[in-house]
Amino acid sequence: MEPWELTATAARTMLADGSLTAEALTHSCLERCAEREAVTKAFSYLDPLLAVRNARRVDKAYAKGVLHGLPLGVKDMIDTADMPTSHNSPIYDGLQQGRDAACVGIARGEGAVVFGKTDTVEFAAAGRRALTRNPHDPSRTPGGSSSGSAAAVADGMVPLAFGTQTGGSTIRPASFCGVYGMKPTHGVVNSEGAKRYSHTLDTIGWYGRAPGDLRLVAEAFRLFGVETPVTKGLKQLRIGVCRGPNWQVASLECCEALGTAAKRLEAAGVTMEEVTLPAPFDEITAAQLVVLHGEGRGGFLQEYLAAPGLLHRDFHERVENAKGITPQQMLWAYDLAAECRKLFDALFPGLDAVLTPAAVGEAPVGRQDTGNPVFNSMWTLLHVPCIGIPCIKGPNGMPVGVQIVGPRFGDAALLDVAAAVAPVIDAG
Amino acid sequence: MEPWELTATAARTMLADGSLTAEALTHSCLERCAEREAVTKAFSYLDPLLAVRNARRVDKAYAKGVLHGLPLGVKDMIDTADMPTSHNSPIYDGLQQGRDAACVGIARGEGAVVFGKTDTVEFAAAGRRALTRNPHDPSRTPGGSSSGSAAAVADGMVPLAFGTQTGGSTIRPASFCGVYGMKPTHGVVNSEGAKRYSHTLDTIGWYGRAPGDLRLVAEAFRLFGVETPVTKGLKQLRIGVCRGPNWQVASLECCEALGTAAKRLEAAGVTMEEVTLPAPFDEITAAQLVVLHGEGRGGFLQEYLAAPGLLHRDFHERVENAKGITPQQMLWAYDLAAECRKLFDALFPGLDAVLTPAAVGEAPVGRQDTGNPVFNSMWTLLHVPCIGIPCIKGPNGMPVGVQIVGPRFGDAALLDVAAAVAPVIDAG
């Protein structure tokens, strides 16, 4: 087994006992990139010499942090002090910031090897797509906007990568690429230094190849309670199956993934029950769009004024409020979200988690359509933690995942649940 | 009258008709700085050549934006592409970012002359204080954390400056320094590129020397409805006087300011009424502190890991959760805030604005105590727009202001009210 094939958790054990160095792991990842990158195009910036330099710095560190020696891909709308941050925008081509974004600085502080910048949809929002292809089928999208991050982890180029989620930009690509993904509770990870689209929605997320990988990153961010993992017995778990208000757009393979995950869990002894969300949730998807477009007005005004000719039409529409969002609609959306957050949290601790679709179906063909975020956007607005888990293969052999969702600040408990249920769900 | 004495509104008229250039106004402001800065110490970075270069660039512009030619001070925890951003932290001394913060980029896009960086409390949060002194009495604080911004505008060094408010960091210094200040609805001004302390609370604000000055900046940010000012007749206005849940800490001069403002308005024909906030507001000040400290955990983790020895003890306490904030407390605070937001908004349109204290009293003596934010922090958590208006002189001859507050997204209407009531309130 080559080092690049290791999960973050497995690599960390070897890095801790000295049987692997950060530099050796980084070299192995670079070799994998050399083999795959021409097809996958996960990276918008990758300087092998810099990646190795970052690894050597980690190998010299006085202490080993929780991410010690693990190569990390960083979505290219998150600032890095040692690499350009282009936002996939011609306005910021080659932009060099002086400071790491908070999440990058924290990961570096915990020993991560900042490896390269992963391609993204323009400003993680709209406009230009990433060049990235799905490692399982290069004729298909890896999803977006965290296109390169999900693909790089799926393709063995890095064990960990940062994404972001404003609609469905972390969990949907995880499903399309067959990797694990986590969107934590909104606000618990400092989003400073990542491009802002919507302050109510923007959330830093991350990818790994096992539930334990996701926990390592959560430990770096010191999420409430994450320092004391609790082993959950499957027979003690009660999980709600939630089709949610958008079930009518689920593809056959999406229905199959949810059904298969539920059946596998039930067979393993988990108590499963149907969850029907109360009436206010019928409008929660619409509310997310109001917040997205309403807050997006101010999100791109800077670029609109500075370089309108270099800014995709999608962003002109945001700034000019093409959808005609009103303050009244914004207040309606904010207040509905506040109500639904309380209603959803009240399902716990009666349940340990909610199981729900992660994406409408398999990854679409082509590069333009990065997939429908409708099974993600409501959870983003609810601010609740979500973990994406691979489940089945669809009719075209593409991965289709599911996600488990917990209450706000239930990140640590949700990681415990993921550790228990992932081997059952991801058993294809 | 020297150009530096002009309000932004008056200067803008002359800049528009060509009777004043951005360069001439900038030179005049620099002369004022040369005279006053040794005492006031408003700026942490001021390069006269760069300020003039920025002014000349504006004088050459093809079109005149809404802030055309107006020198602007920028709080030194807000990124600027052409000046260092130190955050008043030894960690970031001389830090050069590659990109303007959103608010700076927008102001520049609308023709503002980025003039210099104003001193701030460390990370606009705690720890080191600014060196800035109150222009009305250099033995006293200008307030904080937007110390240099409020003082620079009060002292005639710049007509406009950006601050931020997480507790009371914009409106309190406005009161202490006798200038106008605005904290808009949370989230309507993109806070990208400003140091993050608390994502629920951090709000970009600004200072001017007249209500119209505040409107210019609001126009630059395209706040909902601000493009169509409405002249309000004083006799048509109904304003609620709100002592709020912290009245017991008001000084005599604070009580006098509120009483004087109310009496002046009543004498001018405004319908005044007492507003008593319902029971949930009794805990809103405590909720703000929970959010502040709970979210502050992640706010400084990056610096804590990178350079603990250069980080003030205050921030170690935040990261280490010295206050022992729990997720349950966070949820209580978030949900209480959501409830109180709806309750407060429901006062409108029955009222046109709420009149309430802006600070506990006069500016304290010394540099360490920047004043109590207790009359500001609840409004920050409520996300509502606030405008600080000078009112009386206290027993030591120091300015004491009041503030008017509107419902969420009522920024434009609140500016209309300010235009009508400020000449009455600020008539000392």
Side-chain angles (χ1 to χ4, degrees):
Chain A
M1 196 180 214
E2 295 296 318
W4 65 261
E5 296 177 83
L6 297 166
T7 62
T9 323
R12 186 166 172 262
T13 305
M14 296 176 65
L15 287 154
D17 71 20
S19 57
L20 181 66
T21 64
E23 183 177 352
L25 177 54
T26 299
H27 274 301
S28 180
C29 289
L30 286 168
E31 280 162 28
R32 178 66 180 169
C33 289
E35 195 178 325
R36 295 288 308 161
E37 180 62 359
V39 171
T40 304
K41 304 184 202 296
F43 288 91
S44 52
Y45 184 89
L46 179 55
D47 174 350
L49 295 175
L50 176 55
V52 170
R53 213 152 62 227
N54 282 341
R56 287 184 178 176
R57 188 180 304 123
V58 167
D59 279 327
K60 287 176 177 171
Y62 297 116
K64 293 185 176 182
V66 69
L67 299 177
H68 176 78
L70 298 172
L72 174 75
V74 177
K75 187 173 179 178
D76 199 10
M77 40 63 78
I78 301 176
D79 291 345
T80 39
D82 54 358
M83 297 173 191
T85 303
S86 81
H87 302 269
N88 191 15
S89 163
I91 300 174
Y92 296 123
D93 198 19
L95 170 73
Q96 186 58 59
Q97 289 283 66
R99 213 185 130 201
D100 282 333
C103 64
V104 174
I106 291 164
R108 226 191 272 268
E110 290 288 354
V113 176
V114 177
F115 185 84
K117 301 301 280 279
T118 57
D119 208 357
T120 174
V121 172
E122 190 173 347
F123 298 122
R128 300 208 299 192
R129 295 341 192 214
L131 290 176
T132 313
R133 300 305 179 131
N134 194 306
H136 296 270
D137 176 353
S139 78
R140 291 172 187 268
T141 179
S145 62
S146 309
S147 316
S149 288
V153 171
D155 215 6
M157 296 168 169
V158 277
L160 296 171
F162 282 139
T164 61
Q165 180 157 316
T166 302
S169 286
T170 297
I171 300 296
R172 185 168 89 265
S175 178
F176 288 173
C177 293
V179 294
Y180 287 80
M182 179 164 189
K183 180 203 86 67
T185 299
H186 180 259
V188 298
V189 174
N190 189 339
S191 62
E192 190 188 318
K195 180 76 178 108
R196 170 169 150 176
Y197 181 4
S198 155
H199 69 93
T200 300
L201 299 167
D202 293 348
T203 311
I204 304 288
W206 50 90
Y207 297 103
R209 290 198 292 265
D213 298 4
L214 301 181
R215 177 179 284 277
L216 290 180
V217 181
E219 283 181 35
F221 290 123
R222 306 192 180 189
L223 302 194
F224 278 118
V226 78
E227 67 282 5
T228 48
V230 177
T231 304
K232 306 256 187 186
L234 288 165
K235 295 193 172 58
Q236 279 71 55
L237 289 180
R238 177 180 291 268
I239 293 183
V241 180
C242 178
R243 297 196 173 83
N246 301 298
W247 186 244
Q248 73 286 354
V249 303
S251 67
L252 285 177
E253 65 266 22
C254 168
C255 301
E256 191 198 329
L258 191 69
T260 301
K263 257 183 283 175
R264 287 176 182 167
L265 289 172
E266 190 154 42
V270 176
T271 306
M272 305 298 293
E273 64 178 70
E274 288 284 326
V275 170
T276 307
L277 299 171
F281 284 84
D282 294 347
E283 305 228 61
I284 195 77
T285 310
Q288 191 270 349
L289 284 173
V290 166
V291 171
L292 189 76
H293 288 279
E295 296 186 352
R297 279 185 67 218
F300 308 102
L301 179 54
Q302 175 179 18
E303 291 79 16
Y304 178 89
L305 294 171
L310 297 177
L311 189 67
H312 192 282
R313 181 170 42 86
D314 286 354
F315 302 103
H316 288 249
E317 288 173 4
R318 295 290 189 287
V319 173
E320 291 166 3
N321 196 12
K323 300 233 185 255
I325 305 293
T326 65
Q328 289 68 35
Q329 287 175 299
M330 299 282 284
L331 291 173
W332 164 79
Y334 287 155
D335 294 340
L336 180 72
E339 181 188 358
C340 288
R341 286 174 196 140
K342 285 183 77 167
L343 288 169
F344 186 75
D345 285 358
L347 295 174
F348 304 85
L351 294 174
D352 292 286
V354 161
L355 177 73
T356 194
V360 165
E362 290 182 313
V365 171
R367 202 167 62 82
Q368 196 54 31
D369 175 7
T370 64
N372 187 338
V374 78
F375 283 120
N376 314 108
S377 58
M378 64 177 274
W379 309 111
T380 315
L381 180 58
L382 289 174
H383 290 176
V384 293
C386 302
I387 294 180
I389 300 174
C391 183
I392 62 162
K393 290 280 160 75
N396 298 292
M398 297 298 294
V400 182
V402 293
Q403 62 181 323
I404 57 173
V405 181
R408 286 175 293 169
F409 292 106
D411 307 77
L414 192 68
L415 283 160
D416 293 335
V417 173
V421 303
V424 178
I425 292 174
D426 184 10
Chain B
M1 197 182 210
E2 295 296 321
W4 64 261
E5 296 177 85
L6 297 166
T7 62
T9 323
R12 186 167 172 261
T13 305
M14 297 176 65
L15 287 153
D17 70 19
S19 57
L20 181 66
T21 65
E23 184 176 355
L25 176 55
T26 299
H27 275 300
S28 180
C29 290
L30 286 168
E31 280 161 27
R32 178 66 180 170
C33 289
E35 194 178 324
R36 295 289 307 161
E37 180 61 2
V39 171
T40 304
K41 303 183 202 295
F43 288 91
S44 52
Y45 184 87
L46 180 55
D47 173 350
L49 295 176
L50 176 56
V52 170
R53 214 152 60 227
N54 283 342
R56 288 185 178 175
R57 188 178 305 124
V58 166
D59 280 328
K60 287 177 178 171
Y62 297 115
K64 293 184 176 182
V66 68
L67 299 176
H68 176 78
L70 297 171
L72 174 76
V74 177
K75 186 173 179 178
D76 198 11
M77 40 63 78
I78 301 176
D79 291 345
T80 40
D82 54 357
M83 297 173 190
T85 303
S86 82
H87 302 269
N88 190 14
S89 163
I91 299 173
Y92 295 123
D93 199 19
L95 170 72
Q96 186 58 59
Q97 289 282 66
R99 212 185 130 199
D100 282 333
C103 65
V104 174
I106 291 164
R108 225 190 273 267
E110 289 288 355
V113 175
V114 177
F115 185 85
K117 301 301 281 276
T118 56
D119 208 358
T120 173
V121 172
E122 190 172 344
F123 298 122
R128 301 209 298 194
R129 293 342 191 213
L131 290 176
T132 313
R133 301 303 181 133
N134 194 307
H136 297 270
D137 175 353
S139 79
R140 291 173 187 266
T141 179
S145 61
S146 309
S147 317
S149 289
V153 171
D155 216 6
M157 297 169 168
V158 276
L160 296 171
F162 282 138
T164 61
Q165 180 156 315
T166 302
S169 286
T170 296
I171 299 298
R172 184 167 90 263
S175 178
F176 289 173
C177 293
V179 294
Y180 287 79
M182 180 165 189
K183 180 202 87 64
T185 298
H186 179 260
V188 297
V189 175
N190 189 340
S191 62
E192 191 189 316
K195 180 77 177 106
R196 171 171 150 173
Y197 180 5
S198 156
H199 69 93
T200 300
L201 299 167
D202 294 347
T203 312
I204 304 288
W206 51 91
Y207 297 104
R209 289 197 293 266
D213 297 5
L214 301 180
R215 178 180 285 275
L216 291 181
V217 181
E219 282 180 35
F221 289 124
R222 307 192 179 188
L223 302 194
F224 277 117
V226 79
E227 67 284 3
T228 49
V230 177
T231 305
K232 306 257 187 187
L234 288 165
K235 294 192 174 59
Q236 279 71 56
L237 289 180
R238 177 180 290 267
I239 292 183
V241 180
C242 178
R243 298 196 173 83
N246 300 298
W247 185 243
Q248 72 286 352
V249 303
S251 68
L252 285 178
E253 66 267 23
C254 169
C255 301
E256 191 198 332
L258 190 68
T260 301
K263 256 184 284 174
R264 287 176 182 165
L265 289 172
E266 191 154 40
V270 176
T271 306
M272 305 298 293
E273 64 177 68
E274 288 283 327
V275 170
T276 307
L277 299 171
F281 283 84
D282 294 348
E283 306 228 61
I284 194 75
T285 310
Q288 191 270 350
L289 284 173
V290 166
V291 171
L292 188 76
H293 288 280
E295 296 187 353
R297 279 185 67 217
F300 308 102
L301 179 54
Q302 176 179 18
E303 291 79 16
Y304 178 90
L305 293 171
L310 297 177
L311 189 67
H312 193 282
R313 180 170 41 86
D314 286 353
F315 301 103
H316 288 250
E317 287 173 4
R318 294 290 188 290
V319 173
E320 292 165 2
N321 196 12
K323 300 236 185 253
I325 304 292
T326 65
Q328 289 69 35
Q329 286 174 298
M330 299 283 282
L331 290 174
W332 164 79
Y334 287 154
D335 293 340
L336 180 72
E339 181 187 359
C340 288
R341 285 173 199 141
K342 285 184 76 166
L343 288 169
F344 186 74
D345 285 356
L347 296 173
F348 303 85
L351 295 173
D352 292 287
V354 161
L355 177 74
T356 193
V360 165
E362 290 182 311
V365 170
R367 203 168 60 82
Q368 195 55 32
D369 176 6
T370 64
N372 187 340
V374 78
F375 283 121
N376 314 107
S377 59
M378 65 177 272
W379 308 112
T380 314
L381 181 57
L382 289 175
H383 290 176
V384 293
C386 302
I387 293 179
I389 300 174
C391 184
I392 62 163
K393 290 282 161 74
N396 298 291
M398 298 297 293
V400 182
V402 292
Q403 63 182 322
I404 58 173
V405 181
R408 287 175 291 170
F409 292 106
D411 306 77
L414 192 68
L415 283 161
D416 293 334
V417 173
V421 303
V424 178
I425 292 174
D426 184 11

